[in-house]
Coordinates of all heavy atoms in Angstrom, one line a residue:
M128 N 128.2 155.3 120.3 CA 127.2 154.8 119.4 C 127.7 154.1 118.2 O 127.2 153.0 117.8 CB 126.3 155.9 118.9 CG 125.2 156.3 119.9 SD 123.9 155.2 119.7 CE 122.9 155.9 121.0
I129 N 128.7 154.6 117.6 CA 129.3 154.0 116.4 C 129.9 152.6 116.7 O 129.7 151.7 115.9 CB 130.4 154.9 115.8 CG1 129.8 156.2 115.3 CG2 131.1 154.2 114.7 CD1 130.7 157.2 114.8
T130 N 130.4 152.5 117.9 CA 131.0 151.2 118.3 C 129.9 150.1 118.3 O 130.1 149.0 117.9 CB 131.7 151.3 119.6 OG1 132.6 152.3 119.6 CG2 132.4 150.0 120.0
Q131 N 128.8 150.4 118.9 CA 127.7 149.5 119.0 C 127.1 149.1 117.6 O 126.8 148.0 117.4 CB 126.5 150.0 119.9 CG 126.9 150.1 121.4 CD 125.8 150.6 122.2 OE1 124.8 151.2 121.7 NE2 125.9 150.5 123.5
T132 N 127.0 150.1 116.7 CA 126.5 149.8 115.4 C 127.5 149.0 114.6 O 127.1 148.0 113.9 CB 126.2 151.2 114.7 OG1 125.4 152.0 115.4 CG2 125.6 150.9 113.3
Q133 N 128.7 149.2 114.8 CA 129.7 148.4 114.0 C 129.8 147.0 114.6 O 130.0 146.1 113.8 CB 131.1 149.1 114.2 CG 131.3 150.3 113.4 CD 132.6 151.0 113.6 OE1 133.3 150.7 114.6 NE2 132.9 152.0 112.8
N134 N 129.6 146.8 115.8 CA 129.5 145.4 116.4 C 128.3 144.7 116.0 O 128.2 143.4 116.0 CB 129.7 145.5 117.9 CG 131.1 145.8 118.4 OD1 132.0 145.7 117.6 ND2 131.2 146.4 119.6
A135 N 127.2 145.4 115.7 CA 125.9 144.7 115.4 C 125.9 144.1 114.0 O 125.3 143.2 113.7 CB 124.8 145.7 115.5
F136 N 126.7 144.8 113.1 CA 126.7 144.3 111.7 C 127.2 142.9 111.5 O 126.5 142.0 110.8 CB 127.5 145.2 110.8 CG 126.7 146.4 110.4 CD1 127.1 147.7 110.7 CD2 125.5 146.3 109.7 CE1 126.4 148.8 110.3 CE2 124.8 147.4 109.3 CZ 125.2 148.7 109.6
P137 N 128.3 142.5 112.1 CA 128.7 141.1 112.0 C 127.7 140.1 112.5 O 127.5 139.0 111.9 CB 130.0 141.0 112.8 CG 130.5 142.4 112.8 CD 129.3 143.3 112.8
R138 N 127.1 140.4 113.6 CA 126.0 139.5 114.1 C 124.8 139.4 113.2 O 124.2 138.4 113.0 CB 125.6 139.9 115.5 CG 126.6 139.5 116.6 CD 126.1 139.8 118.0 NE 126.7 141.2 118.2 CZ 126.2 142.1 119.0 NH1 125.1 141.8 119.7 NH2 126.8 143.2 119.2
L139 N 124.5 140.6 112.6 CA 123.3 140.6 111.7 C 123.6 139.8 110.5 O 122.8 139.0 110.0 CB 123.0 142.1 111.3 CG 121.9 142.2 110.3 CD1 120.6 141.8 110.9 CD2 121.8 143.7 109.9
F140 N 124.8 139.9 109.9 CA 125.2 139.1 108.7 C 125.3 137.7 109.1 O 124.9 136.8 108.2 CB 126.5 139.7 108.1 CG 126.3 141.0 107.4 CD1 127.1 142.1 107.8 CD2 125.4 141.1 106.4 CE1 126.9 143.3 107.1 CE2 125.3 142.3 105.7 CZ 126.0 143.4 106.0
L141 N 125.8 137.3 110.2 CA 125.9 135.9 110.6 C 124.5 135.3 110.7 O 124.2 134.2 110.2 CB 126.6 135.8 112.0 CG 126.7 134.3 112.5 CD1 127.5 133.4 111.6 CD2 127.3 134.4 113.9
A142 N 123.6 136.0 111.4 CA 122.2 135.5 111.5 C 121.5 135.4 110.1 O 120.8 134.4 109.9 CB 121.4 136.5 112.4
A143 N 121.7 136.4 109.3 CA 121.1 136.3 107.9 C 121.7 135.2 107.1 O 121.0 134.5 106.4 CB 121.3 137.6 107.2
G144 N 123.0 135.0 107.3 CA 123.7 133.8 106.6 C 123.2 132.5 107.0 O 122.9 131.6 106.2
L145 N 123.0 132.3 108.3 CA 122.5 131.1 108.8 C 121.1 130.8 108.4 O 120.7 129.7 108.1 CB 122.6 131.1 110.4 CG 124.0 131.0 110.9 CD1 124.0 131.1 112.5 CD2 124.7 129.6 110.5
A146 N 120.3 131.9 108.4 CA 118.9 131.7 108.0 C 118.8 131.4 106.5 O 118.0 130.5 106.1 CB 118.1 133.0 108.2
L147 N 119.7 132.0 105.7 CA 119.7 131.6 104.3 C 120.2 130.2 104.0 O 119.6 129.5 103.2 CB 120.6 132.6 103.5 CG 120.7 132.4 102.0 CD1 119.4 132.6 101.3 CD2 121.8 133.4 101.4
A148 N 121.2 129.8 104.7 CA 121.7 128.4 104.6 C 120.6 127.4 105.0 O 120.4 126.4 104.4 CB 122.9 128.2 105.5
G149 N 119.9 127.7 106.1 CA 118.8 126.8 106.5 C 117.7 126.7 105.5 O 117.2 125.6 105.3
T150 N 117.4 127.8 104.9 CA 116.3 127.9 103.9 C 116.7 127.1 102.7 O 115.9 126.3 102.2 CB 116.0 129.3 103.5 OG1 115.6 130.0 104.7 CG2 114.9 129.4 102.4
I151 N 117.9 127.3 102.3 CA 118.4 126.5 101.1 C 118.5 125.0 101.4 O 118.0 124.2 100.5 CB 119.8 127.0 100.7 CG1 119.7 128.5 100.1 CG2 120.5 126.1 99.6 CD1 121.0 129.2 99.8
A152 N 118.9 124.6 102.5 CA 119.0 123.2 102.9 C 117.6 122.6 103.0 O 117.4 121.5 102.5 CB 119.7 123.1 104.2
S153 N 116.7 123.3 103.6 CA 115.3 122.7 103.7 C 114.6 122.7 102.3 O 113.9 121.7 102.0 CB 114.4 123.5 104.7 OG 114.2 124.8 104.2
F154 N 114.9 123.6 101.4 CA 114.3 123.6 100.1 C 114.9 122.5 99.3 O 114.2 121.7 98.6 CB 114.6 125.0 99.4 CG 114.0 125.0 98.0 CD1 112.6 125.1 97.8 CD2 114.8 124.9 96.9 CE1 112.1 125.2 96.5 CE2 114.3 125.0 95.6 CZ 112.9 125.1 95.4
G155 N 116.2 122.3 99.4 CA 116.9 121.2 98.7 C 116.3 119.8 99.1 O 116.2 118.9 98.3
A156 N 116.0 119.7 100.4 CA 115.5 118.4 100.9 C 114.1 118.2 100.4 O 113.7 117.0 100.2 CB 115.5 118.4 102.4
T157 N 113.3 119.2 100.2 CA 111.9 119.0 99.7 C 111.8 118.8 98.2 O 110.8 118.2 97.8 CB 111.0 120.2 100.1 OG1 111.5 121.4 99.5 CG2 110.9 120.3 101.6
V158 N 112.7 119.2 97.5 CA 112.6 119.1 96.0 C 113.5 118.0 95.5 O 113.4 117.7 94.3 CB 112.9 120.4 95.2 CG1 111.9 121.5 95.6 CG2 114.3 120.9 95.5
S159 N 114.4 117.4 96.3 CA 115.2 116.3 95.8 C 114.4 115.1 95.5 O 113.5 114.8 96.3 CB 116.4 116.1 96.8 OG 115.9 115.6 98.0
P160 N 114.8 114.3 94.5 CA 114.0 113.1 94.2 C 114.2 112.1 95.3 O 115.2 112.0 96.0 CB 114.6 112.6 92.9 CG 115.9 113.2 92.8 CD 115.8 114.5 93.6
A161 N 113.1 111.3 95.5 CA 113.2 110.2 96.5 C 114.1 109.1 96.0 O 114.4 109.0 94.8 CB 111.8 109.6 96.7
H162 N 114.7 108.4 97.0 CA 115.5 107.3 96.6 C 114.7 106.2 95.8 O 113.5 106.0 96.1 CB 116.2 106.6 97.8 CG 117.1 107.6 98.5 ND1 118.3 107.9 98.0 CD2 117.0 108.2 99.7 CE1 118.9 108.8 98.9 NE2 118.1 108.9 99.9
A163 N 115.3 105.6 94.9 CA 114.6 104.6 94.0 C 113.9 103.5 94.8 O 112.8 103.1 94.4 CB 115.6 104.0 93.0
G164 N 114.5 102.9 95.9 CA 113.9 101.8 96.5 C 112.8 102.1 97.5 O 112.2 101.3 98.1
T165 N 112.5 103.5 97.7 CA 111.6 103.8 98.8 C 110.1 103.6 98.4 O 109.3 103.4 99.3 CB 111.7 105.3 99.2 OG1 111.5 106.1 98.1 CG2 113.0 105.6 99.8
N166 N 109.8 103.6 97.2 CA 108.4 103.4 96.8 C 108.3 102.2 95.8 O 107.7 102.4 94.8 CB 107.7 104.6 96.3 CG 106.2 104.6 96.4 OD1 105.7 103.8 97.1 ND2 105.6 105.3 95.5
A167 N 109.0 101.1 96.1 CA 109.1 100.0 95.2 C 109.0 98.7 95.9 O 109.3 98.6 97.1 CB 110.4 100.1 94.3
Y168 N 108.5 97.7 95.2 CA 108.6 96.3 95.7 C 109.8 95.7 95.0 O 110.2 96.1 93.9 CB 107.3 95.5 95.2 CG 106.0 95.9 95.9 CD1 104.9 96.1 95.1 CD2 105.9 96.2 97.2 CE1 103.7 96.4 95.7 CE2 104.7 96.5 97.8 CZ 103.6 96.6 97.0 OH 102.4 96.9 97.6
S169 N 110.3 94.7 95.7 CA 111.4 93.9 95.1 C 111.1 92.4 95.4 O 110.5 92.1 96.5 CB 112.8 94.3 95.6 OG 112.9 94.0 96.9
A170 N 111.4 91.6 94.5 CA 111.2 90.1 94.6 C 112.5 89.4 94.3 O 113.2 89.7 93.4 CB 110.1 89.6 93.8
T171 N 112.7 88.3 95.1 CA 113.8 87.4 94.8 C 113.2 86.1 94.3 O 112.4 85.5 95.0 CB 114.7 87.2 96.0 OG1 115.2 88.4 96.5 CG2 115.9 86.2 95.7
L172 N 113.5 85.8 93.0 CA 112.9 84.6 92.4 C 113.6 83.4 92.9 O 114.8 83.4 93.2 CB 113.0 84.7 90.9 CG 112.3 85.9 90.2 CD1 112.6 85.9 88.7 CD2 110.8 85.9 90.5
A173 N 112.8 82.3 93.1 CA 113.3 81.0 93.6 C 114.3 80.4 92.5 O 115.3 79.8 92.8 CB 112.2 80.1 93.9
A174 N 113.9 80.7 91.3 CA 114.8 80.2 90.1 C 115.0 81.4 89.2 O 114.1 82.0 88.7 CB 114.1 79.1 89.4
G175 N 116.3 81.8 89.1 CA 116.6 82.9 88.3 C 116.2 82.8 86.8 O 116.1 81.7 86.3
L176 N 116.0 83.9 86.1 CA 115.7 83.9 84.7 C 116.9 83.8 83.9 O 118.0 84.3 84.3 CB 115.0 85.2 84.4 CG 113.7 85.5 85.1 CD1 113.1 86.9 84.8 CD2 112.6 84.4 84.9
E177 N 116.8 83.2 82.7 CA 117.9 83.0 81.8 C 118.3 84.3 81.2 O 119.5 84.6 80.9 CB 117.6 82.0 80.8 CG 117.5 80.6 81.3 CD 117.2 79.5 80.2 OE1 117.4 79.8 79.0 OE2 116.8 78.4 80.6
A178 N 117.3 85.2 80.9 CA 117.6 86.5 80.3 C 116.8 87.5 81.0 O 115.7 87.2 81.6 CB 117.2 86.4 78.8
P179 N 117.2 88.8 81.0 CA 116.5 89.9 81.6 C 115.1 89.9 81.0 O 114.9 89.6 79.8 CB 117.3 91.1 81.3 CG 118.7 90.6 81.0 CD 118.5 89.3 80.4
A180 N 114.1 90.3 81.8 CA 112.7 90.4 81.3 C 112.1 91.7 81.9 O 112.3 92.1 83.0 CB 111.9 89.2 81.8
K181 N 111.2 92.2 81.1 CA 110.3 93.4 81.5 C 108.9 93.0 81.2 O 108.6 92.7 80.0 CB 110.7 94.7 80.8 CG 112.1 95.1 81.1 CD 112.4 96.4 80.3 CE 113.8 96.9 80.5 NZ 114.1 98.1 79.7
K182 N 108.0 93.1 82.2 CA 106.6 92.8 81.9 C 105.8 93.7 82.8 O 106.2 94.1 83.9 CB 106.3 91.3 82.2 CG 107.0 90.4 81.2 CD 106.5 89.0 81.4 CE 107.2 88.1 80.4 NZ 106.9 86.7 80.5
V183 N 104.6 94.0 82.4 CA 103.6 94.8 83.2 C 102.8 93.9 84.1 O 102.2 92.9 83.6 CB 102.7 95.6 82.2 CG1 101.7 96.4 83.1 CG2 103.5 96.6 81.4
V184 N 102.9 94.2 85.4 CA 102.2 93.4 86.4 C 101.3 94.4 87.2 O 101.8 95.4 87.7 CB 103.1 92.7 87.3 CG1 102.4 92.0 88.4 CG2 104.0 91.7 86.6
N185 N 100.0 94.2 87.2 CA 99.1 95.1 87.9 C 99.2 96.6 87.4 O 99.2 97.5 88.2 CB 99.2 95.1 89.4 CG 98.6 93.9 90.0 OD1 97.9 93.1 89.3 ND2 98.7 93.7 91.3
G186 N 99.5 96.8 86.1 CA 99.7 98.1 85.6 C 101.0 98.8 85.8 O 101.2 99.9 85.5
V187 N 102.0 98.0 86.4 CA 103.3 98.6 86.7 C 104.3 97.7 86.0 O 104.3 96.5 85.9 CB 103.5 98.5 88.2 CG1 104.9 98.9 88.6 CG2 102.5 99.4 89.0
L188 N 105.3 98.4 85.4 CA 106.4 97.7 84.7 C 107.4 97.1 85.8 O 107.9 97.8 86.7 CB 107.2 98.7 83.9 CG 108.4 98.1 83.1 CD1 107.9 97.1 82.1 CD2 109.2 99.2 82.4
W189 N 107.5 95.8 85.7 CA 108.5 95.1 86.5 C 109.7 94.7 85.7 O 109.5 94.3 84.5 CB 107.8 93.8 87.1 CG 107.0 94.1 88.3 CD1 105.8 94.7 88.4 CD2 107.4 93.8 89.6 NE1 105.4 94.8 89.7 CE2 106.4 94.2 90.5 CE3 108.5 93.2 90.2 CZ2 106.4 94.1 91.9 CZ3 108.6 93.0 91.6 CH2 107.5 93.5 92.4
K190 N 110.9 94.9 86.2 CA 112.1 94.6 85.5 C 112.8 93.5 86.3 O 113.0 93.6 87.5 CB 113.0 95.8 85.4 CG 112.4 96.9 84.6 CD 113.3 98.1 84.6 CE 112.6 99.3 83.9 NZ 113.5 100.5 83.9
C191 N 113.2 92.4 85.6 CA 113.8 91.3 86.3 C 115.1 91.0 85.6 O 115.2 91.0 84.4 CB 113.0 90.0 86.3 SG 111.4 90.2 87.2
E192 N 116.1 90.6 86.4 CA 117.4 90.2 85.9 C 117.9 89.2 86.8 O 118.1 89.4 88.0 CB 118.4 91.4 85.7 CG 119.6 91.0 85.0 CD 120.5 92.2 84.7 OE1 119.9 93.3 84.5 OE2 121.7 92.0 84.6
G193 N 118.3 88.0 86.3 CA 118.7 86.9 87.2 C 117.6 86.5 88.1 O 116.5 86.2 87.7
D194 N 117.8 86.6 89.4 CA 116.8 86.2 90.4 C 116.2 87.5 91.0 O 115.4 87.4 92.0 CB 117.3 85.3 91.4 CG 118.3 85.9 92.3 OD1 118.8 87.0 92.1 OD2 118.7 85.2 93.4
S195 N 116.5 88.7 90.6 CA 116.0 89.9 91.2 C 115.0 90.7 90.3 O 115.3 90.9 89.1 CB 117.2 90.9 91.4 OG 118.1 90.3 92.3
C196 N 113.9 91.0 90.9 CA 112.9 91.8 90.2 C 112.5 93.0 91.0 O 112.5 93.0 92.2 CB 111.6 90.9 90.0 SG 111.8 89.5 89.0
V197 N 112.2 94.1 90.3 CA 111.8 95.4 90.9 C 110.6 96.0 90.2 O 110.6 96.0 89.0 CB 113.0 96.4 91.0 CG1 112.6 97.7 91.6 CG2 114.2 95.8 91.7
G198 N 109.6 96.5 91.0 CA 108.5 97.2 90.4 C 108.0 98.2 91.4 O 108.1 98.0 92.6
A199 N 107.4 99.3 90.9 CA 106.8 100.3 91.7 C 105.6 99.8 92.5 O 104.9 98.9 92.0 CB 106.4 101.5 90.9
V200 N 105.4 100.4 93.6 CA 104.2 100.1 94.4 C 102.9 100.4 93.6 O 102.9 101.5 93.0 CB 104.2 100.8 95.8 CG1 102.9 100.6 96.5 CG2 105.3 100.4 96.6
D201 N 102.0 99.5 93.5 CA 100.9 99.7 92.6 C 99.5 100.0 93.3 O 98.5 100.1 92.7 CB 100.7 98.4 91.7 CG 100.5 97.2 92.5 OD1 100.2 97.2 93.7 OD2 100.6 96.1 91.9
G202 N 99.5 100.1 94.6 CA 98.3 100.4 95.3 C 97.6 99.1 95.8 O 96.7 99.2 96.7
A203 N 97.9 98.0 95.3 CA 97.2 96.7 95.7 C 97.9 96.2 97.0 O 99.0 96.7 97.4 CB 97.3 95.7 94.7
R204 N 97.3 95.3 97.7 CA 97.9 94.7 98.9 C 99.2 94.0 98.4 O 99.2 93.4 97.4 CB 97.0 93.7 99.5 CG 95.8 94.4 100.3 CD 94.9 93.4 101.0 NE 95.7 92.6 101.9 CZ 95.6 91.2 102.0 NH1 94.7 90.6 101.3 NH2 96.3 90.6 102.8
P205 N 100.3 94.1 99.2 CA 101.5 93.5 98.8 C 101.4 92.0 98.4 O 102.0 91.5 97.4 CB 102.4 93.7 100.0 CG 101.9 94.9 100.6 CD 100.4 94.9 100.4
V206 N 100.6 91.2 99.2 CA 100.5 89.8 98.9 C 99.8 89.6 97.5 O 100.1 88.6 96.8 CB 99.8 89.0 100.0 CG1 98.3 89.3 100.1 CG2 100.1 87.6 100.0
N207 N 98.9 90.5 97.2 CA 98.2 90.3 95.9 C 99.1 90.7 94.7 O 99.1 90.0 93.7 CB 97.0 91.2 95.8 CG 95.9 90.8 96.7 OD1 95.8 89.6 97.1 ND2 95.0 91.7 97.1
T208 N 100.0 91.7 94.9 CA 101.0 92.0 93.9 C 102.0 90.9 93.8 O 102.4 90.5 92.7 CB 101.7 93.3 94.2 OG1 100.7 94.4 94.3 CG2 102.8 93.6 93.2
C209 N 102.4 90.3 94.9 CA 103.3 89.2 94.9 C 102.7 88.0 94.1 O 103.4 87.4 93.3 CB 103.6 88.8 96.4 SG 104.8 87.4 96.5
R210 N 101.4 87.7 94.3 CA 100.8 86.6 93.5 C 100.9 86.9 92.0 O 101.1 85.9 91.3 CB 99.3 86.5 93.9 CG 99.1 85.9 95.3 CD 97.6 85.8 95.6 NE 97.4 85.2 96.9 CZ 96.3 85.2 97.6 NH1 95.3 85.9 97.1 NH2 96.2 84.6 98.7
Q211 N 100.7 88.1 91.6 CA 100.8 88.4 90.2 C 102.2 88.3 89.7 O 102.4 87.9 88.6 CB 100.2 89.9 89.9 CG 98.8 90.0 90.3 CD 97.9 89.1 89.4 OE1 98.1 88.9 88.3 NE2 96.9 88.4 90.1
V212 N 103.2 88.7 90.5 CA 104.6 88.5 90.1 C 104.9 87.0 90.0 O 105.5 86.6 89.0 CB 105.5 89.2 91.2 CG1 106.9 88.8 91.0 CG2 105.3 90.7 91.1
V213 N 104.4 86.2 90.9 CA 104.6 84.7 90.8 C 104.0 84.2 89.5 O 104.6 83.4 88.9 CB 104.0 84.0 92.1 CG1 103.9 82.5 91.9 CG2 104.9 84.4 93.3
K214 N 102.8 84.6 89.2 CA 102.1 84.1 88.0 C 102.9 84.5 86.7 O 102.9 83.8 85.8 CB 100.7 84.7 87.9 CG 99.7 84.0 88.8 CD 98.3 84.7 88.7 CE 97.4 84.1 89.7 NZ 96.0 84.7 89.6
T215 N 103.6 85.7 86.8 CA 104.3 86.2 85.6 C 105.7 85.7 85.5 O 106.2 85.3 84.4 CB 104.3 87.8 85.7 OG1 103.0 88.2 85.8 CG2 104.9 88.3 84.5
F216 N 106.4 85.6 86.6 CA 107.9 85.3 86.6 C 108.2 84.0 87.3 O 109.3 83.5 87.1 CB 108.7 86.4 87.2 CG 108.6 87.7 86.5 CD1 107.8 88.8 87.1 CD2 109.2 87.9 85.3 CE1 107.7 90.0 86.4 CE2 109.1 89.1 84.6 CZ 108.4 90.2 85.2
G217 N 107.3 83.4 88.1 CA 107.7 82.2 88.8 C 107.7 82.4 90.4 O 107.7 83.6 90.8
A218 N 107.9 81.3 91.1 CA 107.9 81.4 92.6 C 109.0 82.3 93.1 O 110.0 82.5 92.5 CB 108.1 80.0 93.1
V219 N 108.7 82.9 94.3 CA 109.6 83.8 94.9 C 110.1 83.3 96.2 O 109.3 82.6 96.9 CB 109.0 85.2 95.1 CG1 108.7 85.9 93.7 CG2 107.8 85.2 96.0
S220 N 111.3 83.6 96.6 CA 111.8 83.2 97.9 C 111.8 84.4 98.9 O 111.9 84.2 100.1 CB 113.3 82.7 97.8 OG 114.1 83.7 97.2
K221 N 111.6 85.6 98.3 CA 111.5 86.8 99.2 C 110.7 87.8 98.4 O 110.9 88.0 97.2 CB 112.9 87.3 99.5 CG 112.9 88.6 100.3 CD 114.4 89.0 100.5 CE 114.5 90.3 101.2 NZ 115.9 90.8 101.4
F222 N 109.9 88.6 99.1 CA 109.1 89.7 98.5 C 109.2 90.9 99.5 O 108.7 90.8 100.6 CB 107.7 89.3 98.2 CG 107.0 90.3 97.4 CD1 107.1 90.3 96.0 CD2 106.2 91.3 97.9 CE1 106.4 91.2 95.2 CE2 105.5 92.3 97.1 CZ 105.7 92.2 95.7
A223 N 109.8 91.9 99.1 CA 110.1 93.1 100.0 C 109.2 94.2 99.6 O 109.0 94.5 98.4 CB 111.5 93.5 100.0
T224 N 108.6 94.9 100.6 CA 107.8 96.1 100.4 C 108.6 97.3 101.0 O 109.5 97.1 101.8 CB 106.4 95.9 101.0 OG1 106.6 96.1 102.4 CG2 105.8 94.6 100.7
P225 N 108.1 98.5 100.8 CA 108.7 99.6 101.5 C 108.7 99.5 103.0 O 109.5 100.1 103.7 CB 108.0 100.9 101.0 CG 107.5 100.5 99.7 CD 107.2 99.0 99.8
K226 N 107.7 98.7 103.5 CA 107.5 98.6 105.0 C 108.2 97.3 105.5 O 108.1 97.1 106.7 CB 106.0 98.6 105.3 CG 105.4 99.9 105.0 CD 103.9 99.9 105.4 CE 103.3 101.2 105.1 NZ 101.8 101.2 105.4
G227 N 108.8 96.5 104.7 CA 109.5 95.3 105.1 C 109.1 94.1 104.3 O 108.3 94.2 103.3
D228 N 109.7 93.0 104.6 CA 109.5 91.8 103.8 C 108.2 91.1 104.2 O 107.7 91.2 105.3 CB 110.6 90.8 104.1 CG 112.0 91.2 103.6 OD1 112.0 92.3 102.9 OD2 113.0 90.6 103.9
L229 N 107.6 90.4 103.3 CA 106.4 89.6 103.6 C 106.8 88.5 104.5 O 107.9 87.9 104.4 CB 105.8 88.9 102.3 CG 105.1 89.8 101.3 CD1 104.5 88.9 100.2 CD2 104.0 90.6 102.0
G230 N 106.0 88.1 105.5 CA 106.2 87.1 106.4 C 106.1 85.7 105.7 O 105.6 85.6 104.6
A231 N 106.4 84.7 106.4 CA 106.4 83.3 105.9 C 105.0 82.9 105.4 O 104.8 82.3 104.4 CB 106.9 82.3 106.9
E232 N 104.0 83.2 106.2 CA 102.6 82.9 105.8 C 102.2 83.6 104.6 O 101.6 82.9 103.7 CB 101.7 83.2 107.0 CG 100.3 82.7 106.8 CD 99.4 83.0 108.0 OE1 99.8 82.6 109.1 OE2 98.4 83.6 107.8
D233 N 102.4 84.9 104.5 CA 102.1 85.6 103.3 C 102.9 85.1 102.1 O 102.3 85.1 101.0 CB 102.3 87.1 103.5 CG 101.2 87.8 104.3 OD1 100.1 87.2 104.4 OD2 101.4 88.8 104.9
L234 N 104.1 84.8 102.3 CA 104.9 84.3 101.2 C 104.4 83.0 100.7 O 104.4 82.7 99.5 CB 106.4 84.2 101.6 CG 107.5 84.1 100.6 CD1 107.4 85.4 99.7 CD2 108.8 84.0 101.2
Q235 N 103.9 82.2 101.6 CA 103.4 80.9 101.2 C 102.1 81.1 100.4 O 101.9 80.4 99.3 CB 103.1 80.0 102.4 CG 102.6 78.6 102.1 CD 102.4 77.8 103.4 OE1 102.4 78.3 104.5 NE2 102.2 76.5 103.2
R236 N 101.2 82.0 100.8 CA 100.0 82.3 100.0 C 100.4 82.9 98.7 O 99.7 82.6 97.7 CB 99.1 83.3 100.8 CG 98.4 82.7 101.9 CD 97.4 83.6 102.5 NE 98.1 84.6 103.3 CZ 97.6 85.6 104.0 NH1 96.3 85.8 103.9 NH2 98.3 86.4 104.8
C237 N 101.4 83.7 98.7 CA 101.8 84.3 97.4 C 102.3 83.2 96.4 O 101.9 83.2 95.3 CB 103.0 85.3 97.7 SG 103.9 85.8 96.3
N238 N 103.1 82.3 96.9 CA 103.6 81.2 96.0 C 102.5 80.2 95.6 O 102.7 79.5 94.7 CB 104.8 80.5 96.6 CG 106.1 81.4 96.5 OD1 106.3 81.9 95.4 ND2 106.8 81.5 97.5
A239 N 101.4 80.2 96.3 CA 100.3 79.3 96.0 C 99.7 79.6 94.6 O 99.0 78.8 94.0 CB 99.3 79.3 97.0
A240 N 100.0 80.8 94.1 CA 99.5 81.2 92.8 C 100.2 80.6 91.7 O 99.7 80.7 90.5 CB 99.5 82.8 92.7
A241 N 101.3 80.0 91.9 CA 102.2 79.4 90.8 C 101.5 78.3 90.2 O 100.7 77.6 90.7 CB 103.5 79.0 91.4

């Protein structure tokens, strides 16, 4: 009997250790901050800015430097946000959303706001 009890302890501790490690790993994944680009729009301006700029577009702060602009998703349709960015900063050659880039037709509609 003593032999069986002594052999059970290492397995018990191994199982408990693995369970604890899994719990810690899953907790860490749920409380870690999301990557910065996951819930943001980005725009590439057709003509870069001379100086960095920060302006509020659709209630969201957009930061631009050179030909790159970034702003959080604001809840509006991406093409509508793109139009507001064009009105504020100028024509864009690319507008990216968390789900992908705007297509050529949407990008053309977006730049029509200039």
Side-chain angles (χ1 to χ4, degrees):
M128 277 279 174
I129 293 176
T130 307
Q131 288 180 347
T132 306
Q133 288 175 343
N134 288 338
F136 279 121
R138 282 185 267 152
L139 177 65
F140 285 123
L141 177 63
L145 290 173
L147 180 62
T150 301
I151 290 170
S153 65
F154 180 74
T157 58
V158 298
S159 64
H162 296 290
T165 59
N166 201 22
Y168 291 137
S169 65
T171 302
L172 301 176
L176 302 175
E177 292 180 17
K181 295 179 184 179
K182 294 187 180 179
V183 176
V184 177
N185 281 357
V187 172
L188 180 64
W189 276 75
K190 298 176 185 178
C191 297
E192 188 169 334
D194 68 348
S195 298
C196 296
V197 177
V200 173
D201 58 13
R204 288 184 55 227
V206 76
N207 292 338
T208 299
C209 182
R210 286 179 179 163
Q211 295 303 315
V212 169
V213 166
K214 287 180 183 178
T215 306
F216 297 107
V219 297
S220 58
K221 178 180 174 183
F222 192 85
T224 75
K226 295 181 180 179
D228 295 353
L229 287 185
E232 187 177 304
D233 285 336
L234 199 57
Q235 185 177 11
R236 283 189 283 178
C237 169
N238 281 315

